[in-house]
Amino acid sequence: MTDLDPRLEAWLQEMRRGTPVRPEALARVKDAVRGLNPRGTIASALLRPAALAVPASAIVAAAVWFAGLDPGPPVPDEQPPLTPAHFVIHLPEAQEVALVGDFNDWDATATPLERSDDGLWSVLVPVPSGSVRYSFIVDGIEWRSDPAGAPAGSDFGRPTSIAFVAGPGGDR
Amino acid sequence: MRKGGWILLVLAGAVLGGPERALGQEERLRGRMAPEVVSEVTSLADSARARSLPVEPVIQKALEGASKGAGLEEIVSAVHSLIRDMGLAREALGPGLPEHALVLAAAALDQGASPEDLCEFRAHESHPSLPSALGGLIYLVGRGVPTDVSVGLTLEMLNADLPAAAFSSLQRLVEQDARQGAAPVESARVRARALIQAGGPFGLEGDIAR
């Protein structure tokens, strides 16, 4: 191995020693990672074929599922804590699907969904706990509400859904 | 630090943080809509702030309009309605209502509930399930269940002191029944009463609801 710059070597030694982490903080990070992993328990439970009783003829069947996540102590700027939410919609014919809502400034480029083999589109997004308004945009032009969500009218002539996202301590 | 010092620090943070947040909000609007729309929306956001109403929903409503290709008049009208509804919701449900519950109550008004309907929920102002109940109310009304029935059922569930999870269960169960062809109003009645009898969703849904 070549000789390293003494400053880099010192930095590496420091890194090897590790940074002391409180066990409760480590547990919170592990929980957060588990909750946000698309292959984790939330997603795998929802992506089971039996999880979505979708008739073959149905164009869409969607669900938003929320999982509680301890966000740690409140931040000083009073931002609500984030909770991972799983947005799912069944659109076998779609070429691309995007999610827009209060959590991404309604930016159609911010949150694309990923397609599974059978046309189930999904994305896991951290959203502020409380109420969330959202829509799906299909192939860049067609706005869709969530058939499994609560309709929130069609302000501006396009459908929107609304969901309540329970935060830590907000759901008994 | 002495107690007075902390209070001063908090007040300073509030004074300094307010305009900074407002500037950030204006910046987010600027890249997404015409300057005259930004100006109108900023002015409306300031009016909401002056009434101690939450501003972020106002910004989001304007961004929603921009994303949906709406023009100045449409965006201003929608933002104006939202601020009016949040004000009415606060009057109906009380000043101590958490922000997210206020936004849900405003959405319920937008869906067709009346301020008088919301007043019925005032006795539950501090109930931890109130936001979920309002979410349930919005869902039922949006699903075509008559407003008086929707209000009655969600109130019955709140009066039964059901947990918040019961309201999301109600939504899942009504959706499940609707997929089998049941009328949402009948499903909502049957399911709400069963949830009340069971004291919550636990042990009631089984595999069929998942």
Side-chain angles (χ1 to χ4, degrees):
Chain A
M1 186 183 283
T2 56
D3 287 341
L4 289 172
D5 182 309
R7 286 170 300 174
L8 183 57
E9 183 61 43
W11 179 79
L12 280 172
Q13 279 176 4
E14 184 65 28
M15 293 305 288
R16 284 187 199 113
R17 270 203 297 275
T19 306
V21 178
R22 284 180 298 132
E24 60 271 29
L26 188 60
R28 202 158 57 221
V29 170
K30 283 180 177 172
D31 286 348
V33 170
R34 265 198 297 275
L36 289 167
N37 182 355
R39 289 186 297 266
T41 54
I42 306 164
S44 55
L46 289 167
L47 293 175
R48 278 201 319 263
L52 296 166
V54 185
S57 59
I59 298 174
V60 290
V64 179
W65 294 74
F66 303 104
L69 168 66
D70 179 3
V75 290
D77 62 355
E78 296 178 16
Q79 293 294 315
L82 295 178
T83 300
H86 196 202
F87 295 82
V88 183
I89 187 164
H90 189 230
L91 293 165
E93 306 301 323
Q95 298 302 307
E96 59 177 35
V97 181
L99 176 70
V100 289
D102 294 339
F103 40 84
N104 66 3
D105 280 358
W106 294 85
D107 181 349
T109 63
T111 315
L113 277 73
E114 284 188 21
R115 189 187 194 280
S116 71
D117 288 343
D118 64 350
L120 195 66
W121 296 80
S122 66
V123 67
L124 194 61
V125 186
V127 300
S129 50
S131 63
V132 173
R133 292 164 46 81
Y134 62 99
S135 298
F136 296 104
I137 303 180
V138 183
D139 295 336
I141 48 169
E142 188 186 351
W143 286 67
R144 295 258 188 146
S145 58
D146 183 347
S154 53
D155 265 352
F156 312 111
R158 296 177 191 272
T160 307
S161 299
I162 188 167
F164 171 70
V165 183
D171 200 344
R172 293 186 298 165
Chain B
M1 191 182 293
R2 286 182 307 138
K3 191 179 174 187
W6 281 114
I7 292 170
L8 280 175
L9 195 63
V10 168
L11 284 175
V15 168
L16 293 172
E20 195 174 289
R21 247 194 330 269
L23 281 176
Q25 283 157 346
E26 198 174 330
E27 279 301 314
R28 283 155 64 205
L29 296 174
R30 204 168 282 149
R32 300 280 298 278
M33 56 194 79
E36 62 268 28
V37 188
V38 174
S39 172
E40 288 281 349
V41 172
T42 305
S43 163
L44 286 167
D46 288 343
S47 76
R49 191 177 290 111
R51 293 171 63 190
S52 300
L53 291 170
V55 173
E56 183 59 21
V58 172
I59 301 299
Q60 289 301 331
K61 177 59 76 180
L63 289 168
E64 178 187 348
S67 187
K68 290 177 172 177
L72 167 69
E73 280 184 25
E74 222 180 339
I75 291 177
V76 168
S77 167
V79 167
H80 204 272
S81 298
L82 173 64
I83 294 172
R84 181 202 60 210
D85 285 347
M86 287 196 295
L88 286 172
R90 191 173 57 187
E91 273 176 36
L93 286 165
L97 199 64
E99 179 179 320
H100 57 279
L102 183 69
V103 174
L104 284 163
L109 289 172
D110 187 50
Q111 283 285 79
S114 67
E116 292 73 29
D117 290 330
L118 289 186
C119 284
E120 304 266 343
F121 290 85
R122 186 160 185 150
H124 302 285
E125 184 189 0
S126 56
H127 197 292
S129 298
L130 177 64
S132 286
L134 291 169
L137 172 64
I138 293 166
Y139 167 75
L140 292 176
V141 174
R143 242 337 194 143
V145 177
T147 308
D148 58 335
V149 177
S150 302
V151 169
L153 291 176
T154 44
L155 274 174
E156 276 180 49
M157 290 173 70
L158 271 178
N159 287 333
D161 199 27
L162 294 191
F167 295 90
S168 42
S169 282
L170 176 68
Q171 180 171 333
R172 278 198 295 275
L173 293 166
V174 171
E175 277 304 311
Q176 176 188 297
D177 295 343
R179 281 199 294 272
Q180 296 179 61
V185 61
E186 285 311 310
S187 167
R189 281 197 178 110
V190 170
R191 294 298 195 173
R193 279 166 195 160
L195 286 164
I196 290 167
Q197 277 182 342
F202 312 110
L204 181 69
E205 295 182 44
D207 287 332
I208 54 167
R210 283 192 274 271

